[in-house]
């Protein structure tokens, strides 16, 4: 345990009211219990106890050895999780054609068999024309194209 970790434990113990407890012995015991733990985990656990952020901790008394080492181990788990490699941020790889153009081309192909009634029409134009019955029933407006298509032509069958 380095000097910074020892200082953080001392500062934590100073945050609690002094009792008849032997703090030198408690400090030595905590140091022995923390053997093998990282200094960062010890520092974080000390700071959390001093700030009162540890769940179910006593706000009147310094933590016991088992309470302290339990929090040190919990902090070490968080440190290990933070140190794991992360997935790279997703990146957009543009292809030869942007997605909005692909959607436009698909809409043009789907409606190629329909007659074009109005081009460059927004929703307001389509509504106005529909309400005034200037376009036939069955006409449709394709938003990504801004085109109003007429209904599909009826196929004529030859009489025999």
């Amino acid at each position: 345990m380095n000097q910074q970790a020892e200082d953080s434990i001392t500062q934590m113990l100073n945050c609690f009211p002094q009792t008849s407890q032997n703090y030198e012995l408690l400090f030595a015991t905590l140091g022995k219990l923390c053997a093998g733990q990282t200094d960062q985990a010890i520092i974080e656990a000390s700071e959390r106890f001093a700030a009162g952020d540890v769940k179910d901790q006593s706000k009147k008394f310094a933590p016991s050895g088992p309470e302290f080492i339990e929090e040190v181990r919990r902090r070490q788990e968080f440190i290990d999780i933070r140190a794991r490699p992360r997935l790279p941020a997703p990146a957009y790889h543009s292809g030869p054609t942007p997605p909005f153009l692909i959607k436009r081309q698909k809409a043009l192909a789907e409606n190629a068999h329909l007659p074009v009634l109005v081009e460059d029409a927004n929703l307001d134009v389509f509504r106005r024309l529909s309400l005034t019955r200037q376009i036939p029933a069955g006409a449709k407006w394709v938003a990504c194209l801004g085109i109003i298509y007429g209904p599909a032509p009826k196929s004529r069958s030859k009489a025999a």
Side-chain angles (χ1 to χ4, degrees), residues 2 9 16 27 30 45 47-48 50-51 55 57 66-67 72 74 78-79 81 93 102 107 117 120 126 138 144 146:
N2 69 11
I9 291 175
F16 295 98
F27 183 79
L30 291 178
E47 290 172 351
R48 286 179 51 80
K55 183 180 178 188
Q57 89 174 68
E67 290 173 328
V72 170
R74 188 176 300 122
F78 287 125
I79 291 169
I81 289 170
H93 301 290
I102 293 172
L117 300 178
D120 294 328
F126 179 69
C144 68

Side-chain angles (χ1 to χ4, degrees), residues 41-104:
I42 296 168
I43 292 167
E44 287 182 17
S46 300
E47 290 172 351
R48 286 179 51 80
F49 269 110
D53 292 338
V54 178
K55 183 180 178 188
D56 297 331
Q57 89 174 68
S58 170
K59 307 286 195 256
K60 296 180 181 180
F61 302 104
S64 66
E67 290 173 328
F68 185 74
I69 195 66
E70 179 183 4
E71 182 62 20
V72 170
R73 289 183 183 132
R74 188 176 300 122
R75 298 314 310 160
Q76 186 60 50
E77 287 177 21
F78 287 125
I79 291 169
D80 293 342
I81 289 170
R82 286 191 309 241
R84 287 183 190 164
R86 301 284 182 241
L87 292 174
Y92 174 72
H93 301 290
S94 63
T97 308
F100 70 93
L101 286 180
I102 293 172
K103 185 175 182 179
R104 183 176 171 81

